[in-house]
């Protein structure tokens, strides 16, 4: 957790806050496919603020942030361009919102997702959540 002493006290920024900022920024990049979660985890994520934190690790020392982000890329997108965009957007958002210095955003591409795979995952998730 990062501490900053201000005139009237301290401001503490949790690692989780940085992770959530990174997750929201990453989810807005074209070509990044969300990771499918298990049914129980998917349902609990619907009611949790941590649904953006899956696949992100953060290390904060002093005011220096290092992130590891694990993503799936949609088929047809240039992997390096998607990864560079993730790096740029995440760095900008964290630095803008927290005044922390992001020195490294390591993007790990785990999989390529085809459009039919996304539809299949969505159907499975929808049918798993449906209540009779």
């Amino acid at each position: 957790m990062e501490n900053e002493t201000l005139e009237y006290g301290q401001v503490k920024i949790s690692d989780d806050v940085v992770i959530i900022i990174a997750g929201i920024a990453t989810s807005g990049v074209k070509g990044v496919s969300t990771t499918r979660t298990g049914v129980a985890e998917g349902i609990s994520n619907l009611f949790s603020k941590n649904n953006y934190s899956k696949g992100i690790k953060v290390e904060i020392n002093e005011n220096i942030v290092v992130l590891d982000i694990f993503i799936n890329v949609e088929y047809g997108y240039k992997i390096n361009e998607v990864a560079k965009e993730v790096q740029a957007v995440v760095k900008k958002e964290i630095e803008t919102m927290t005044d922390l210095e992001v020195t490294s955003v390591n993007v790990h591409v785990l999989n390529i997702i085809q459009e039919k795979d996304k539809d299949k995952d969505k159907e499975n998730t929808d049918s798993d959540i449906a209540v009779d």
Side-chain angles (χ1 to χ4, degrees), residues 25-26 29-33 67 69-74 77-91 104-110 112:
T26 300
V29 174
K30 286 188 178 184
V32 173
S33 177
L67 291 137
I69 300 177
F70 300 84
I71 63 171
N72 294 331
V73 174
E74 294 176 10
Y77 285 87
K78 292 185 177 184
I79 295 171
N80 284 344
E81 287 180 12
V82 172
K84 286 177 187 175
E85 182 69 14
V86 167
Q87 289 173 322
V89 169
V90 167
K91 178 177 172 59
S104 183
V105 179
N106 303 307
V107 177
H108 306 267
V109 179
L110 301 178
I112 298 293

Side-chain angles (χ1 to χ4, degrees), residues 20-119:
I20 291 169
I21 293 168
I24 292 170
T26 300
S27 69
V29 174
K30 286 188 178 184
V32 173
S33 177
T34 56
T35 311
R36 184 173 184 273
T37 59
V39 177
E41 188 177 353
I43 291 171
S44 68
N45 280 344
L46 290 174
F47 304 105
S48 170
K49 64 181 178 183
N50 294 328
N51 55 347
Y52 289 107
S53 65
K54 184 171 179 157
I56 300 173
K57 295 180 184 176
V58 66
E59 184 178 320
I60 302 175
N61 291 320
E62 303 287 324
N63 281 345
I64 306 296
V65 178
V66 175
L67 291 137
D68 285 288
I69 300 177
F70 300 84
I71 63 171
N72 294 331
V73 174
E74 294 176 10
Y75 182 81
Y77 285 87
K78 292 185 177 184
I79 295 171
N80 284 344
E81 287 180 12
V82 172
K84 286 177 187 175
E85 182 69 14
V86 167
Q87 289 173 322
V89 169
V90 167
K91 178 177 172 59
K92 177 184 172 273
E93 290 299 317
I94 291 172
E95 289 181 346
T96 300
M97 293 182 72
T98 66
D99 284 335
L100 298 172
E101 180 186 350
V102 177
T103 59
S104 183
V105 179
N106 303 307
V107 177
H108 306 267
V109 179
L110 301 178
N111 202 356
I112 298 293
I113 303 296
Q114 288 184 304
E115 197 63 36
K116 65 182 181 181
D117 291 340
K118 283 175 54 178
D119 294 340

